[in-house]
Amino acid sequence: TNTLLTELIRCRALGGNLLVNIPPRGNGEMMDWFYEVCEEMEGWMKHSQEAVYGVNLDAPLPTLDQTTIYTTKKDNVFYTLPTIKNMIAIKEIDAPISITLLRTGENLKYTYLEQERTISVKVPEALTTDLPDIVKIVFEKKND
């Protein structure tokens, strides 16, 4: 489940969609594990779907020279997938209004370096799960 969700996030961050190629058995039924994975994905979607549905697929998104993490964007919000070490770093960006763990809504401590315009976040190990934990970064809404 972790692999499929991580791949979904990666695909959405890169502007694509995920087509999962899991074939059924000869009798048309899926493998038992497939249904378990679907249930886990359903649970994840209940709290984190806003990070993958209806996201902006056009720039400006954080580019690879700003960050190496997968990020989606909706209006004035970034949704980021922390690294394997639960870290987030994005440079050349405005100061955020808030940074929360999307699954729980819990505020996360972060550092914003004004000179470098860099955000750094470490998601505490106690808040993580076996599935991808998305961090929601809200910025001030800009008037266009």
Side-chain angles (χ1 to χ4, degrees):
T1 306
N2 186 326
T3 300
L4 288 176
L5 287 171
T6 301
E7 190 64 15
L8 172 64
I9 296 161
R10 186 186 74 79
C11 287
R12 296 303 290 154
L14 297 173
N17 293 305
L18 179 64
L19 177 61
V20 180
N21 186 16
I22 301 175
R25 294 181 177 134
N27 65 2
E29 293 179 7
M30 299 302 287
M31 277 70 65
D32 293 338
W33 62 263
F34 177 78
Y35 297 105
E36 293 169 16
V37 167
C38 287
E39 284 182 27
E40 286 183 311
M41 290 179 75
E42 177 185 24
W44 186 90
M45 284 292 183
K46 285 180 180 175
H47 56 70
S48 294
Q49 68 180 344
E50 69 184 81
V52 293
Y53 286 126
V55 295
N56 304 353
L57 301 179
D58 297 329
L61 291 171
T63 55
L64 291 177
D65 60 335
Q66 291 174 278
T67 187
T68 59
I69 56 176
Y70 295 114
T71 303
T72 57
K73 179 183 183 236
K74 191 182 299 181
D75 300 322
N76 61 318
V77 179
F78 283 177
Y79 301 94
T80 63
L81 178 65
T83 66
I84 201 157
K85 294 181 180 181
N86 300 321
M87 297 295 298
I88 293 171
I90 305 174
K91 61 184 183 178
E92 299 174 19
I93 197 147
D94 293 333
I97 293 173
S98 68
I99 298 182
T100 58
L101 185 62
L102 185 57
R103 178 176 42 81
T104 64
E106 188 165 341
N107 288 321
L108 298 175
K109 292 181 183 177
Y110 65 91
T111 303
Y112 181 74
L113 300 176
E114 190 102 20
Q115 294 280 102
E116 293 84 12
R117 297 184 59 228
T118 301
I119 296 171
S120 298
V121 182
K122 168 88 167 110
V123 180
E125 191 76 29
L127 297 180
T128 63
T129 65
D130 291 336
L131 298 179
D133 287 301
I134 303 295
V135 172
K136 181 177 182 176
I137 305 172
V138 180
F139 298 94
E140 187 174 312
K141 207 165 202 159
K142 295 185 179 187
N143 297 329
D144 293 326

